[in-house]
Amino acid sequence: SVTSITPSAAVSINGGIFEIEMLEDFHNVKDTELLHILKERAELINKILIVFFQKQRPINFLKSGLLKPITQKTISELTGLSASTISRLANSKYVFIHNKLFHFKALFQRQVNNSNYSSLFIKNHIAKNINKPDKVLAEELGILGINIARRTVNYYRNKFF
């Protein structure tokens, strides 16, 4: 049997900003109670995506293909939704981002500093700013939400460059 995946939303970059379009279609749902629940879930997904992409820089994504690592806890704090609600939504949904399909869950990190994705993000940031001092890079990454020591920046610089 063939499994098909229908994304809940599409995210594109237009004029230097992320635009979110919800793709779920509820026209065939006749049960008003079920329709209400489905629309409410779609609104929550949209809210999470809006907050997530407000923290991103489209130009960085276009250049590197990487999104800034963000935890579900951070999104929870910013949206006022519980982390478990975000987790439940993220586990079963997919998002189309700039012509690539992503599992919604893959957008979030459990611990930003301890993920392979964060390592790629850090490595990419260092590569683009190779001439900056380690301390400055550590401060910049801190502003981006990745708390990293100067000596860790130096470790990555020596390991990869």
Side-chain angles (χ1 to χ4, degrees):
S1 77
V2 176
T3 303
S4 68
I5 297 172
T6 304
S8 297
V11 180
S12 59
I13 300 173
N14 189 6
I17 61 168
F18 285 105
E19 292 184 346
I20 300 164
E21 176 187 359
M22 298 306 293
L23 300 176
E24 293 181 332
D25 180 15
F26 307 121
H27 289 95
N28 294 331
V29 178
K30 303 296 181 211
D31 183 335
T32 56
E33 188 173 329
L34 178 60
L35 182 62
H36 175 74
I37 291 168
L38 292 173
K39 285 183 177 181
E40 191 173 85
R41 183 186 65 192
E43 288 173 15
L44 291 176
I45 292 168
N46 190 43
K47 182 177 185 177
I48 293 166
L49 288 171
I50 288 169
V51 170
F52 180 85
F53 282 101
Q54 284 174 343
K55 296 293 181 186
Q56 303 298 324
R57 292 189 177 165
I59 192 73
N60 290 350
F61 178 72
L62 289 172
K63 286 181 180 178
S64 69
L66 297 175
L67 294 166
K68 177 180 152 189
I70 298 177
T71 63
Q72 288 181 1
K73 180 181 177 186
T74 300
I75 296 296
S76 172
E77 291 166 355
L78 294 171
T79 60
L81 299 171
S82 73
S84 62
T85 298
I86 294 168
S87 180
R88 276 193 307 276
L89 289 169
N91 281 332
S92 61
K93 298 296 177 183
Y94 290 83
V95 181
F96 207 52
I97 303 172
H98 201 63
N99 300 321
K100 293 181 185 173
L101 187 65
F102 289 84
H103 191 238
F104 197 15
K105 182 178 180 177
L107 299 180
F108 306 107
Q109 304 297 311
R110 291 215 180 267
Q111 293 181 325
V112 167
N113 290 345
N114 295 333
S115 71
N116 288 335
Y117 197 80
S118 293
S119 296
L120 288 172
F121 187 84
I122 293 165
K123 188 169 93 171
N124 194 1
H125 187 77
I126 293 170
K128 287 190 279 185
N129 300 285
I130 197 73
N131 294 324
K132 290 185 180 180
D134 295 343
K135 183 177 181 182
V136 172
L137 289 173
E139 290 168 358
E140 289 176 354
L141 288 163
I143 291 168
L144 294 171
I146 299 174
N147 297 318
I148 186 172
R150 177 213 47 83
R151 64 186 176 277
T152 308
V153 170
N154 186 266
Y155 166 80
Y156 279 107
R157 186 190 302 269
N158 291 331
K159 182 176 179 180
F160 296 113
F161 305 103

